[in-house]
Amino acid sequence: MSPHHDENPAGAHLPLEPLPGHASRGRLERVLRRGEFAVTTELNPPDSADPEDVYERAAVFDGWVDGINAVDASGANCHMSSVGICALLTRMGYAPIYQISCRDRNRIAIQGDVLGAAAMGVQNVLCLTGDGVQAGDQPGAKPVFDLDCMSLMETIRTMRDQGRFLSGRKLTTPPAMFMGAAINPFAPPYDFRPLRLAKKIAAGAQFVQSQYCFDVPMFRDYMTRVRDLGLHEQCFIMCGVGPLTSARTARWMRANVPGVHIPDAVIARLEGAADQKREGKRLCIDIIDEVKEIAGVAGIHVMAYRQEEYVAEIVHDSGVLKGRRPWRPEPRADDALVAGRLDHILHDNRVETPQQILTEAQAAPHPATT
Amino acid sequence: MSDQTHRAMIPAAGQGRAPQAKAPRPGGPAQVARPGRGYAVRLWSVRHARALEWFYRRFARTVLLLHPLWSALGYGRVEKPMRFVERRVKGFMFDCRMCGQCVLSSTGMSCPMNCPKQLRNGPCGGVRANGHCEVRPDMPCVWVKAWEGSRRMVQGDAILTVQKPVDRTLAGTSSWLRVTAQAAAERDHRKDAA
Ligand code: SF4
């Protein structure tokens, strides 16, 4: 067991001991506040009602990441809800990051969901505006956008720090959430972007994850301005990275995914490679190598949509963890005991079904019953 | 039987045509329904944000000076004509959506309610490389313009303050009158305190 195992001894699914100065009782906040280089990733939400689909998709990250983003219908495509994914993940002890987008729900629904998520053990929340409905599979839907990402953050902060709803009504137990936001240094107006981060921090952001970074010089410029403003000391900044599968997907993403900026040089490099997929991974690792050295970068956020199995490889090969092993689900002592006795339990002639139990109980003399 | 089948087919055929027509979705905030008019006036206003800021400051002061008149007439009674004027003027100049809680002074004279996501705190992450909107590719992003406008204004840094969520009950009411009434109340309060 490593010195920082970050698990509640009474059960992995329970929140950790509260620490002074921590907003949440979660693992991600502990890792970041200890100054360790954090790694988060994104779970591809299933189009299914089977919890196993979520667990299978989470298992590929075991031991490689400190947090898993549960996306809220990203790209306005319908999938299992982020709150549902979070609830499943916390049961197993994972540290999900609950994404909330303003596109689909109004302030009443969102505040209720935040309480529900907190009650289910969710410790991290990421506030997003959300892509427009036109980007998704159901463009006929009504866009809500009642709050925007900043007023959403202020709302959650009010709930957490002042223990009340937006209306002023009191909460009996406020949600202890580590609050995050998204940044996109790669979209205009470029000189406003660092100030917008300042605004997000003012609204309550404690960590931010960036959009895919394929243009390191641009990100470096952004970080220079962020450092000039002193923002890296007020907020943990995680750089978004991810492998591209081919030059064709890169072109497609550039044209169709809002806010993704891919320089021509990147596409040329992919095109020139014999094995584009390998090169995409290589490129991702190269980018990680560069961004991890930029002052003020507290971690990376690996988005490997439909290639989640490569996250472990990318994190390993880039060496960002420096030998640290993030938390992974392990069988507890009593589970191990059951596993050891499984043979005995299965092969002993035991009463199995409720019917059998009932028959036995009725057959036995029982003075108390009439 | 055959009659029923027939009837069931008609709406289906109608639906098939609908997406091609690209009809604006009713009710949603994404609707910016001003067919046939470009963004020229709106962009002009942003380009002249500084002059408009100067003008509005004088205008607000004048309206505030007339506070005794408004209260004599009754704010409720002035609301309707004021709303009429405000809607026309600001509608023409800024494509104003009458949210009733104007923030033009904090947004470089670019009305944020024209953003399809109605963001009040800055651009989303989807702005296209050419500065156009993610949702409406033909429209320059409202917030890119807001940032430009704010750089021209004396008090342009107001764009950096975090705005509260929109109070939807105020939609359609006059923002000018509300601001005036509030300023008057504040002034009286200060006078009382002194
Ligand atoms: S691109 Fe600009 S106008 Fe379009 S939704 Fe985003 S912030 Fe609003």
Side-chain angles (χ1 to χ4, degrees):
Chain A
M1 207 178 267
S2 73
H4 300 297
H5 193 57
D6 294 337
E7 183 176 305
N8 189 324
H13 61 287
L14 297 169
L16 304 171
E17 273 301 298
L19 290 180
H22 285 227
S24 74
R25 300 172 63 181
R27 206 172 293 131
L28 178 66
E29 186 175 8
R30 282 198 178 188
V31 169
L32 283 168
R33 286 198 194 276
R34 277 202 298 263
E36 287 165 342
F37 198 84
V39 178
T40 55
T41 190
E42 221 156 80
L43 186 121
N44 179 12
D47 298 334
S48 133
D50 184 356
E52 282 311 318
D53 286 337
V54 173
Y55 293 136
E56 261 169 38
R57 288 165 191 222
V60 298
F61 306 132
D62 278 357
W64 293 103
V65 301
D66 301 298
I68 301 176
N69 282 37
V71 301
D72 188 4
S74 66
N77 290 303
C78 197
H79 302 289
M80 186 192 283
S81 74
S82 56
V83 74
I85 294 172
C86 284
L88 290 170
L89 291 182
T90 51
R91 280 188 199 173
M92 294 296 161
Y94 289 103
I97 297 162
Y98 171 35
Q99 292 196 358
I100 306 179
S101 108
C102 298
R103 180 192 51 238
D104 307 319
R105 277 162 305 147
N106 67 8
R107 58 193 90 177
I108 301 176
I110 289 176
Q111 291 173 80
D113 278 350
V114 167
L115 286 186
M120 290 185 292
V122 177
Q123 307 289 339
N124 315 296
V125 59
L126 190 86
C127 302
L128 300 167
T129 299
D131 304 300
V133 289
Q134 91 290 344
D137 65 338
Q138 311 195 21
K142 177 174 181 184
V144 178
F145 297 110
D146 180 29
L147 302 176
D148 61 24
C149 61
M150 301 236 193
S151 43
L152 168 60
M153 257 186 300
E154 277 203 325
T155 304
I156 299 178
R157 189 178 56 185
T158 308
M159 292 171 73
R160 184 190 69 191
D161 295 349
Q162 297 171 26
R164 53 183 184 81
F165 287 117
L166 212 48
S167 64
R169 236 169 69 233
K170 276 234 165 298
L171 302 170
T172 44
T173 304
M177 293 277 200
F178 187 44
M179 288 174 48
I183 50 170
N184 188 357
F186 313 104
Y190 303 108
D191 39 351
F192 185 35
R193 293 287 168 183
L195 296 167
R196 186 162 154 77
L197 172 58
K199 230 175 144 174
K200 288 200 172 177
I201 293 172
Q206 297 171 297
F207 72 97
V208 290
Q209 294 173 333
S210 89
Q211 177 61 274
Y212 278 111
C213 170
F214 292 112
D215 191 339
V216 180
M218 202 166 182
F219 186 65
R220 199 171 279 132
D221 288 349
Y222 175 84
M223 285 303 295
T224 310
R225 286 208 55 206
V226 163
R227 284 197 306 272
D228 290 347
L229 293 165
L231 302 178
H232 64 302
E233 281 157 5
Q234 302 167 39
C235 164
F236 299 103
I237 299 168
M238 308 185 70
C239 180
V241 291
L244 291 163
T245 34
S246 66
R248 239 188 72 219
T249 32
R251 276 218 189 80
W252 183 88
M253 268 175 78
R254 181 156 80 168
N256 293 298
V257 183
V260 175
H261 159 73
I262 305 178
D264 292 330
V266 165
I267 294 182
R269 175 170 163 184
L270 285 176
E271 240 157 20
D275 183 348
Q276 299 204 352
K277 202 161 178 173
R278 256 188 84 86
E279 191 61 21
K281 241 187 303 174
R282 200 56 251 164
L283 178 85
C284 177
I285 293 168
D286 288 350
I287 290 175
I288 295 175
D289 275 342
E290 288 193 60
V291 296
K292 76 173 184 215
E293 301 302 335
I294 299 176
V297 174
I300 49 168
H301 176 57
V302 189
M303 295 169 276
Y305 179 63
R306 293 232 181 114
Q307 341 177 41
E308 283 80 4
E309 64 278 14
Y310 293 138
V311 170
E313 199 180 320
I314 289 169
V315 175
H316 174 265
D317 291 355
S318 66
V320 284
L321 291 174
K322 299 199 190 89
R324 181 172 70 87
R325 291 292 279 173
W327 177 90
R328 59 179 304 151
E330 270 151 19
R332 279 153 38 97
D334 47 356
D335 294 338
L337 200 74
V338 173
R341 293 186 53 193
L342 204 58
D343 223 33
H344 169 68
I345 294 168
L346 287 178
H347 299 301
D348 237 12
N349 251 342
R350 290 170 61 91
V351 176
E352 291 290 354
T353 66
Q355 285 87 345
Q356 280 174 317
I357 298 172
L358 201 66
T359 333
E360 269 203 3
Q362 277 168 349
H366 218 300
T369 50
T370 51
Chain B
M1 257 318 236
S2 67
D3 192 40
Q4 265 180 4
T5 328
H6 207 65
R7 236 186 274 151
M9 277 168 67
I10 295 165
Q15 270 169 9
R17 273 198 304 274
Q20 281 177 342
K22 280 257 165 65
R25 289 184 290 279
Q31 197 193 70
V32 188
R34 288 172 312 102
R37 217 181 102 193
Y39 305 105
V41 184
R42 185 200 285 188
L43 297 180
W44 182 91
S45 301
V46 170
R47 275 200 305 279
H48 296 83
R50 195 188 186 105
L52 290 172
E53 181 189 28
W54 179 89
F55 178 78
Y56 177 71
R57 209 166 326 132
R58 300 240 147 11
F59 172 77
R61 216 175 288 159
T62 319
V63 180
L64 183 58
L65 281 178
L66 294 175
H67 168 67
L69 174 67
W70 308 135
S71 32
L73 289 169
Y75 268 89
R77 201 140 7 119
V78 217
E79 168 76 27
K80 214 170 155 192
M82 192 62 115
R83 188 166 53 195
F84 178 83
V85 178
E86 187 170 339
R87 187 190 296 272
R88 292 302 133 115
V89 173
K90 288 192 352 192
F92 174 72
M93 305 247 338
F94 309 106
D95 297 327
C96 163
R97 328 273 301 169
M98 290 300 279
C99 68
Q101 44 217 296
C102 193
V103 284
L104 282 170
S105 306
S106 309
T107 61
M109 299 290 162
S110 171
C111 172
M113 300 314 266
N114 287 312
C115 161
K117 300 184 188 173
Q118 299 198 340
L119 303 181
R120 307 262 293 185
N121 278 300
C124 71
V127 186
R128 290 163 197 264
N130 62 1
H132 279 231
C133 171
E134 161 198 334
V135 182
R136 298 174 53 89
D138 63 316
M139 180 179 83
C141 165
V142 166
W143 275 100
V144 169
K145 292 293 150 199
W147 174 246
E148 288 172 16
S150 78
R151 295 306 89 197
R152 297 192 182 103
M153 287 164 61
V154 179
Q155 285 166 5
D157 282 349
I159 201 170
L160 302 178
T161 44
V162 180
Q163 300 291 335
K164 292 266 158 297
V166 183
D167 181 349
R168 314 273 165 182
T169 57
L170 301 180
T173 62
S174 166
S175 179
W176 286 344
L177 273 187
R178 176 165 305 101
V179 171
T180 308
Q182 273 165 2
E186 225 171 82
R187 193 182 53 188
D188 294 349
H189 185 78
R190 246 182 289 134
K191 237 184 261 162
D192 287 350

